[in-house]
Amino acid sequence: MATGEPSVAVDEGLTADNYGSSADSAYDSEVASYTTSLASGVTDYRFEHGRRYHAYKEGSYIYPNDEKESDRLDIAHKMMEVSMNGKLYLAPLKGDPGRVLDIGTGTGIWAMEMGDMHPKSDILGNDLSPIQPRWVPPNVHFEVDDVEADWTYSEKFDFIHCRTMGNAIQNWPRLVKQCYEFTKPGGWVEFVDIDLTWVSPDNTMGPDSYCFRMNTEFIKATRDAGMEPSPGPLLEGLMKDAEFVNIHHQRNPLPVGTWPADKHLKEVGAWNYLQCTEGLEAFCYAIFTRTLGYTKEEVEVFCANARKELKDSKQHALFYLHICYGQKKP
């Protein structure tokens, strides 16, 4: 049947006669040779300093993707959930949103909890690394994708969620605009991200401390490498520039440790202390060795000294979590 479309030549070698009596299995093998090549491009991980890093778009994300880092990401998820008073999101969604996109889903824990909470929703999580579990709620799906590439979704989303993508995005205005473009009219987008600059409200952790030196060097190195470590304070302006309406922005303190008197902040601080102390090497290995010229051993000594400071209850530090959501014009 003529369709007017450009013709595509057929590989005549893929005939049943050519394959003999095992045509089905041989054709499966032919397909498998291509899919295996694709899969290896995603899972042919880079190993550096004893940690595993993503293969797809190698180098565009500076943190590991191994099991230890997955555990830390789940701890950070709990920290943010506690900070947001047990909520997965703050946007005023009504009922079950139809299509939901979770950008940079990581371990997939937010997407899976969202799927359980909204069983009628279709949840899609994307990430550079296929580290999500195989057994998930039936309405939750994952894909390997680069959110900085052109989006090609055939359907738009009712809700887009983007969390802790600092140091993962080169072009934030473009990302926010693509979120707007691929949200249905009246739909919502929520960004949750960090201002990574540590502050000490009572000056008990000064500029000469290992923690503040590490924080300062890390922020400078990642910015020199073209990344933004602290997108949190930028989110409201980015959403306004992308023409979202009904924008809401709030800033939540994230203490490092249980030093706050407030019971709620004490719990947030306990989770933050855990994810920070567990993640020091994950934060520093790649950027300190690749960009700042540190050796692995120097990074480990730096982290050990910073970890020792974090265990001192007399030293008080915090940074901030920013939550910003907005609506696409109905």
Side-chain angles (χ1 to χ4, degrees):
M1 180 183 295
T3 63
E5 296 293 328
S7 62
V8 177
V10 175
D11 183 354
E12 299 297 341
L14 302 183
T15 64
D17 290 341
N18 179 270
Y19 282 135
S21 60
S22 302
D24 290 343
S25 61
Y27 189 66
D28 288 342
S29 297
E30 180 84 11
V31 173
S33 69
Y34 291 98
T35 57
T36 299
S37 175
L38 175 61
S40 66
V42 171
T43 59
D44 188 14
Y45 298 121
R46 171 179 180 173
F47 288 85
E48 187 178 4
H49 307 311
R51 303 300 297 267
R52 190 186 74 191
Y53 294 83
H54 70 99
Y56 183 63
K57 301 294 181 75
E58 182 181 333
S60 57
Y61 183 66
I62 62 172
Y63 303 128
N65 72 350
D66 51 26
E67 196 167 314
K68 186 174 182 180
E69 176 65 0
S70 292
D71 290 343
R72 186 197 68 81
L73 289 173
D74 286 348
I75 294 169
H77 166 79
K78 179 64 178 179
M79 173 197 71
M80 288 179 279
E81 196 173 56
V82 172
S83 175
M84 295 167 64
N85 295 306
K87 296 179 179 179
L88 287 176
Y89 57 87
L90 299 184
L93 306 181
K94 296 180 180 179
D96 291 325
R99 281 173 51 81
V100 177
L101 175 64
D102 184 30
I103 293 174
T105 193
T107 66
I109 190 170
W110 184 92
M112 290 184 289
E113 291 186 8
M114 188 72 173
D116 285 335
M117 179 182 291
H118 296 285
K120 295 181 181 179
S121 299
D122 182 16
I123 318 291
L124 174 64
N126 63 30
D127 202 277
L128 290 173
S129 294
I131 59 172
Q132 303 77 33
R134 292 179 179 272
W135 298 102
V136 299
N139 59 331
V140 177
H141 310 277
F142 297 114
E143 67 178 11
V144 174
D145 198 10
D146 177 11
V147 297
E148 293 212 269
D150 290 337
W151 292 13
T152 58
Y153 298 112
S154 58
E155 288 186 65
K156 297 186 177 183
F157 297 92
D158 298 277
F159 181 46
I160 296 178
H161 175 258
C162 180
R163 187 174 72 175
T164 55
M165 293 293 282
N167 290 325
I169 300 298
Q170 296 280 338
N171 190 336
W172 275 93
R174 184 171 185 268
L175 173 66
V176 177
K177 288 176 181 177
Q178 288 211 94
C179 288
Y180 186 88
E181 179 184 349
F182 280 85
T183 300
K184 295 177 182 178
W188 294 88
V189 174
E190 179 165 305
F191 293 92
V192 180
D193 229 300
I194 301 291
D195 180 353
L196 201 56
T197 303
W198 286 32
V199 296
S200 181
D202 55 3
N203 297 315
T204 53
M205 189 175 281
D208 294 330
S209 70
Y210 286 97
C211 286
F212 271 87
R213 285 171 50 203
M214 179 180 287
N215 181 243
T216 301
E217 290 190 37
F218 179 87
I219 289 174
K220 183 179 185 305
T222 51
R223 284 183 173 147
D224 287 347
M227 296 173 283
E228 177 50 63
S230 298
L234 308 175
L235 296 174
E236 184 174 8
L238 288 167
M239 295 195 81
K240 287 180 179 178
D241 290 344
E243 300 186 352
F244 283 94
V245 297
N246 298 321
I247 297 171
H248 170 83
H249 170 246
Q250 72 180 59
R251 187 180 74 160
N252 293 359
L254 299 177
V256 186
T258 56
W259 55 265
D262 180 84
K263 185 177 179 181
H264 178 246
L265 290 180
K266 191 180 291 289
E267 183 181 1
V268 174
W271 288 107
N272 196 20
Y273 168 83
L274 186 57
Q275 74 96 14
C276 283
T277 54
E278 287 289 313
L280 287 177
E281 287 81 7
F283 304 149
C284 296
Y285 269 146
I287 198 70
F288 275 52
T289 59
R290 297 176 193 172
T291 304
L292 297 178
Y294 279 66
T295 65
K296 176 177 183 286
E297 292 72 25
E298 287 171 333
V299 172
E300 289 170 349
V301 170
F302 207 160
C303 289
N305 285 318
R307 188 173 284 110
K308 184 177 180 180
E309 288 181 350
L310 290 174
K311 292 181 178 180
D312 183 356
S313 62
K314 295 179 182 178
Q315 297 195 63
H316 309 145
L318 60 82
F319 51 99
Y320 288 95
L321 180 71
H322 291 252
I323 303 101
C324 192
Y325 62 77
Q327 187 178 32
K328 185 171 183 175
K329 297 174 184 177

